[in-house]
Amino acid sequence: MSKKNPQIASENMKMNFSKGWGIILYQALMFFFLIGFSIDGLNIVAPAFSEATGVDYPSVLSMATVAGMIGVVVYIFIARINVKVGARLLSGVCLIGAGASYIFLGNSKTLVTYCIALTLVTCFINGAAYIAGNTLIAQWFPKKKGLANGFTTMGHNCGSAFYVPLISFAIGTFGFASGMSYVAIGAIVLGIIGLIFVRNTPQECGMYPDNVTKEVYEREYFQGNSEDNGGWTAGKLLKTRELWLCALIIGINQLVTTGVMSQLVVRNTSLGFSQESAVGLMTVCAIIGVCGSYLFGAIDQKFGVKKAIILFLIWYCIALAVNCTDTTIGVYVSVAMIGIAVGAAANFIVSLPASVFGRHGFTMVNSVFFPLMQIVLMTNYLVNAFALKVTGSLRGAYIFYIGLLVVNMILTAVINPTKYNKDVATEQELLK
């Protein structure tokens, strides 16, 4: 391909995103708040709320599961709203809603209000980052999504590495309610910035997708309105094999990643590491994940999302297998390898469906794909319980995860990674 036309946009590895860097930073920050507000930050928030109110900790901890389950249903409605109003407006409003709900969470006095607040936080921040944010990435970087995702998902790993110390410092210094409120203001400010400066498509900023020239865009990209539904309806998508494959592949990836990271500290302490050392290893894992984000983003860009996912799955299997040796050196090596895998996993949440379906109608595609993927992801609680019951150990659970990843290799092998992508079809016609 490159010999026939060295300027083909899909082969361009240059990071000349221009104003697109603003979209990348915006999405990375949304991912940072996503991880902090609804996942890792709960390691500090949940026990702090329990201590402040006297509510027993297991009950507080269980509210995260309730919030996640409710979120699966709510995401269907948020995704439909995204189709109607666009990603700019939805992301801004959801960020402001997430910040306001986080303040509400910090001022909760009962388990009921805590559950309501956490549910609102979870729904709003996922709506901002995964539903609206992923739509922005698909529209702005249809052929450079690999490189773009390599940077945006660094926000995931930075959230895992730095949000816990941040919220711990804020609550420890200013108290539970005030500390939560001060951090929440950051999300509200980001939402306001998004409403003012973010645009749904690069054309609204006088640019073209991937920051290509007008000539390249007219030659290599499908000339159609990328914000319409692309001929897709929810019913039609639910009858499409590739939609279900996308949801299963990404859902299993995220299920395994959630299971591994939620048990990593417990797993390492069971192997003889102190609590402090185990937490430190998890932080190292998250920091290494920043490298994984870029590495697999570049692999995606260079070789395509299908090859990148298969390589990722092989890498992940080896990482978990090394951990299962139950040796000290195995733990150190596996933490580094798992860090790379965790950093890569988030890249594919938008990259795979955007590759299969393209930017035309992606908002509609995402409105069906994301809730289905979340349903698969949320089964991690059942899968974890089943694996532990059957195998009797975390080591056995990790072996079970390896089996799931092997299943995912088979699913990935049969998917057509560009089947409905109109930009790719236009490019292929050009090269005939």
Side-chain angles (χ1 to χ4, degrees), residues 152-345:
T152 62
T153 54
M154 289 180 182
H156 267 269
N157 305 292
C158 288
S160 292
F162 304 119
Y163 189 87
V164 170
L166 171 64
I167 193 65
S168 180
F169 169 79
I171 291 176
T173 303
F174 304 108
F176 185 67
S178 296
M180 297 270 289
S181 298
Y182 289 143
V183 175
I185 291 172
I188 294 173
V189 171
L190 182 63
I192 294 171
I193 291 173
L195 289 173
I196 296 172
F197 295 106
V198 168
R199 294 294 178 266
N200 291 325
T201 66
Q203 288 92 329
E204 294 177 31
C205 292
M207 296 171 54
Y208 293 95
D210 302 311
N211 192 33
V212 299
T213 63
K214 179 181 179 181
E215 291 73 24
V216 171
Y217 177 72
E218 291 179 346
R219 182 175 69 246
E220 299 178 16
Y221 292 71
F222 181 77
Q223 303 301 301
N225 183 5
S226 63
E227 290 190 274
D228 63 21
N229 291 336
W232 293 109
T233 63
K236 187 176 180 180
L237 285 165
L238 288 172
K239 297 176 183 177
T240 302
R241 188 188 75 154
E242 269 66 26
L243 190 282
W244 287 97
L245 285 173
C246 284
L248 285 170
I249 291 167
I250 303 304
I252 291 174
N253 283 353
Q254 295 305 110
L255 182 159
V256 171
T257 298
T258 301
V260 168
M261 292 303 288
S262 66
Q263 297 176 1
L264 193 61
V265 172
V266 178
R267 166 68 175 158
N268 289 338
T269 54
S270 71
L271 294 175
F273 287 84
S274 67
Q275 181 77 11
E276 185 179 67
S277 297
V279 172
L281 283 171
M282 187 171 181
T283 301
V284 170
C285 182
I287 294 173
I288 292 175
V290 173
C291 302
S293 293
Y294 178 76
L295 174 63
F296 273 88
I299 292 172
D300 181 343
Q301 184 67 34
K302 184 70 175 178
F303 301 105
V305 68
K306 183 171 181 173
K307 292 179 180 178
I309 291 177
I310 290 176
L311 179 61
F312 155 81
L313 291 169
I314 293 171
W315 176 276
Y316 215 162
C317 285
I318 295 173
L320 296 182
V322 170
N323 187 275
C324 288
T325 61
D326 286 356
T327 62
T328 301
I329 187 66
V331 169
Y332 287 131
V333 172
S334 68
V335 163
M337 293 187 70
I338 289 171
I340 296 291
V342 170

Side-chain angles (χ1 to χ4, degrees), residues 55 75 94 124 190 258 376 379:
V55 179
Y75 299 145
C94 280
F124 276 128
L190 182 63
T258 301
V376 179
T379 62

